[in-house]
Amino acid sequence: DTGTPRPDPPQPPGPMPPEFVVIAPRGSPSRPAGYTEQLDKIDHLVFVMMENRSFDHMLGYLQFEQGSRVEGVKGVHSNPLAGHPGGVFTLPVHDIVAGLQATAFIPSSPNHGIEHVRKQIGVENGIAVGAMTGFAQDYEDSEPGYGNYVMAYYTGEELECYHQLAHDHTVCDHWFAAFPGGTWPNRWATLSGSAPDIYNLEFDAPRIGFLEGPTIFDVLSTYGVEWRVYESDLTLVRTYFKYRLDTTHILPFKHRYDDS
């Protein structure tokens, strides 16, 4: 969310519905009868891990649809930007970039290294104040003349596939990065709940393939839940020593440079 912080403080989470709690795998004698009947109806869960998109940027426009309960782009948000006395504002991408192929005309994604994220979200004296007012200027510093692009959001006109999926299936509107920084620390946090480094590692770094510590996949295996990771390039699961040469659970999908 590139707007100002919401005035209401975050509320504590409510109790988790019991049908969402898995305490033992199917068939286990320690699993109370009927406790997870809803999950028993599901044979497979498929997760596609993406990156570099906020909810407002991708699906925030759903807020404006009649009868919508989505919490998205609530109105006009702004960021200060040098050369723009009144700042720059959130606008549909087609109001900023001409043509429906708007994704092809945005020079690059905002830099998501930790130093840049500190500027974007607002960090003062080491404390994240959460003003969210540094996105436009940080992008302008990297892409002169394009600072307002970072405030754009897509609509169903540009993202027809996502629009259809959003209307046919459940949408979760609270997306949060686990770590205010780059891709690898965020993915490590997703896999294991912690990050061994605050920066991406170089591909020839000697630590790759030798990281220790439990992952979500260890938990699944402990409870007898089958799992697979399909990689199109290096999956970060392979940065862990236990899985660096695993060919049983980690299988090729299609290499992004492979045209066959």
Side-chain angles (χ1 to χ4, degrees):
D1 191 343
T2 53
T4 55
R6 298 187 178 91
D8 297 329
Q11 299 299 311
M16 183 178 292
E19 64 269 19
F20 292 168
V21 180
V22 179
I23 60 172
R26 185 181 306 177
S28 170
S30 62
R31 181 178 183 174
Y35 196 66
T36 54
E37 291 179 354
Q38 295 301 315
L39 286 179
D40 279 344
K41 299 176 183 179
I42 301 174
D43 292 321
H44 298 89
L45 296 174
V46 179
F47 296 89
V48 179
M49 185 178 291
M50 303 174 69
E51 63 175 322
N52 300 354
R53 304 290 181 179
S54 69
F55 181 83
D56 283 358
H57 179 59
M58 291 288 291
L59 296 175
Y61 72 92
L62 295 173
Q63 168 87 21
F64 301 123
E65 295 191 350
Q66 185 174 3
S68 173
R69 294 187 296 168
V70 168
E71 183 179 338
V73 179
K74 290 190 170 183
V76 177
H77 304 279
S78 65
N79 261 198
L81 180 62
H84 297 259
V88 291
F89 301 89
T90 50
L91 289 170
V93 70
H94 54 67
D95 287 354
I96 299 177
V97 184
L100 296 183
Q101 299 299 320
T103 55
F105 297 99
I106 294 178
S108 63
S109 65
N111 195 307
H112 45 284
I114 186 170
E115 292 84 0
H116 290 267
V117 175
R118 285 175 176 270
K119 298 176 184 177
Q120 293 160 5
I121 66 177
V123 173
E124 297 179 4
N125 299 319
I127 300 174
V129 297
M132 301 294 176
T133 55
F135 288 89
Q137 189 60 57
D138 186 67
Y139 194 69
E140 177 78 13
D141 293 342
S142 300
E143 301 288 348
Y146 293 97
N148 62 325
Y149 276 32
V150 80
M151 301 294 286
Y153 61 87
Y154 292 115
T155 70
E157 189 176 8
E158 295 85 29
L159 306 177
E160 295 180 4
C161 179
Y162 284 102
H163 181 78
Q164 192 65 46
L165 289 171
H167 278 264
D168 291 347
H169 303 283
T170 299
V171 171
C172 298
D173 55 13
H174 281 196
W175 296 1
F176 300 99
F179 174 79
T183 299
W184 287 37
N186 271 284
R187 297 201 174 192
W188 283 322
T190 300
L191 295 172
S192 66
S194 63
D197 205 299
I198 63 173
Y199 299 101
N200 295 346
L201 297 182
E202 298 295 334
F203 284 106
D204 58 354
R207 297 169 63 192
I208 292 181
F210 294 94
L211 298 180
E212 299 288 351
T215 70
I216 183 62
F217 302 110
D218 299 316
V219 178
L220 294 176
S221 295
T222 297
Y223 284 94
V225 178
E226 289 291 325
W227 59 272
R228 297 288 185 275
V229 172
Y230 295 94
E231 59 181 359
S232 58
D233 206 331
L234 172 70
T235 170
L236 288 203
V237 182
R238 291 202 183 279
T239 61
Y240 293 88
F241 178 73
K242 183 180 295 185
Y243 299 114
R244 69 190 185 99
L245 299 178
D246 190 325
T247 58
T248 301
H249 296 97
I250 305 174
L251 304 173
F253 177 65
K254 183 181 185 296
H255 197 283
R256 61 180 177 179
Y257 303 118
D258 184 5
D259 295 329
S260 60

